[in-house]
Amino acid sequence: MKGLVRYDLAQLTGNSKRSFYLLYFVGLIVVGLVVGGGRIFSYMAVMIGCMMGVSFFSYETWYHWDRYCAAMPLSNRQIIVSRYISLLITTGCGALIGLVIGLLSFATGRMDLSWTQWLISLLQTIFAALVYMEIEIPVMYRFGVERGRLINVLLFVVLYSGALVLSEFSQIPAEFATIVRIVFGVAWLIVLLLFPVSIAVSMRIRAKKEY
């Protein structure tokens, strides 16, 4: 399984691809600091990290990776779980870059939120990224790269917009703070518990395919 994860990540770390992603994220940092949009760009880095999963499926299709895997002693579960791990890693990298953007925005006075408000909003964005991941992978296995990409772009817009809207309500009245924390905690628990469900759905979809 480690080899499968390394293969996925290797698709993003070729010389040209590594340079592209480096320039892309550096661009997010610079633009965020220059225009004063550190809050938005820190959230965007998280979602873009999660969206990199679409690239995994694109490379898989181009190189007929599934046919190659079919000839190897790899179980369906190993292939699926490794894909989730790969996406968790890229999402974590996006969250780390988002954290850097936020800290630099605070250091340069370009952040329009308090530390607590921004951190809560960043956690909401990570929450949206995990929801996106749980839907994205089964969708890509079910509809393929071309149709799946369109669905995932729409899903990205909806979840990212939702995260931005929630960030506008990060200042919670004291009388509702406890209730909101409980709801947020329950929502996180539900999302984490849904990971095995998402994995099972992906395994079921992929098992029906012929290579």
Side-chain angles (χ1 to χ4, degrees), residues 17-204:
K17 297 166 192 164
R18 183 170 58 243
S19 300
F20 170 78
Y21 287 117
L22 179 62
L23 288 173
Y24 191 88
F25 283 114
V26 169
L28 281 181
I29 295 173
V30 172
V31 173
L33 296 179
V34 170
V35 304
R39 171 169 63 100
I40 295 176
F41 286 99
S42 64
Y43 306 156
M44 189 180 295
V46 179
M47 296 302 292
I48 290 174
C50 188
M51 266 197 93
M52 286 181 180
V54 177
S55 299
F56 296 150
F57 287 95
S58 296
Y59 298 135
E60 193 173 78
T61 301
W62 293 339
Y63 301 132
H64 304 290
W65 175 247
D66 278 324
R67 295 182 184 177
Y68 180 70
C69 283
M72 298 176 66
L74 295 170
S75 68
N76 191 37
R77 181 180 180 82
Q78 287 177 313
I79 295 171
I80 297 296
V81 172
S82 66
R83 182 56 49 85
Y84 279 82
I85 293 174
S86 299
L87 263 173
L88 284 172
I89 291 173
T90 57
T91 302
C93 290
L96 183 61
I97 293 172
L99 183 63
V100 171
I101 294 175
L103 292 175
L104 289 176
S105 298
F106 278 111
T108 57
R110 295 284 185 173
M111 181 62 71
D112 55 353
L113 295 176
S114 69
W115 168 259
T116 303
Q117 290 173 328
W118 171 76
L119 189 58
I120 291 174
S121 298
L122 185 64
L123 287 175
Q124 291 171 344
T125 307
I126 295 173
F127 175 86
L130 293 179
V131 173
Y132 175 84
M133 184 191 311
E134 290 178 337
I135 301 174
E136 172 192 20
I137 297 179
V139 165
M140 293 300 287
Y141 278 120
R142 174 65 180 84
F143 296 103
V145 175
E146 296 303 324
R147 288 187 295 170
R149 183 183 289 115
L150 177 60
I151 296 172
N152 283 315
V153 167
L154 295 175
L155 180 63
F156 171 85
V157 172
V158 171
L159 290 174
Y160 182 64
S161 299
L164 287 180
V165 170
L166 287 175
S167 70
E168 299 297 330
F169 299 96
S170 54
Q171 186 64 41
I172 304 169
E175 58 270 24
F176 298 113
T178 302
I179 297 175
V180 171
R181 280 197 291 267
I182 293 174
V183 171
F184 194 47
V186 171
W188 266 95
L189 180 61
I190 291 173
V191 166
L192 294 177
L193 291 176
L194 284 176
F195 261 98
V197 177
S198 178
I199 291 173
V201 171
S202 296
M203 289 176 59
R204 184 181 180 87

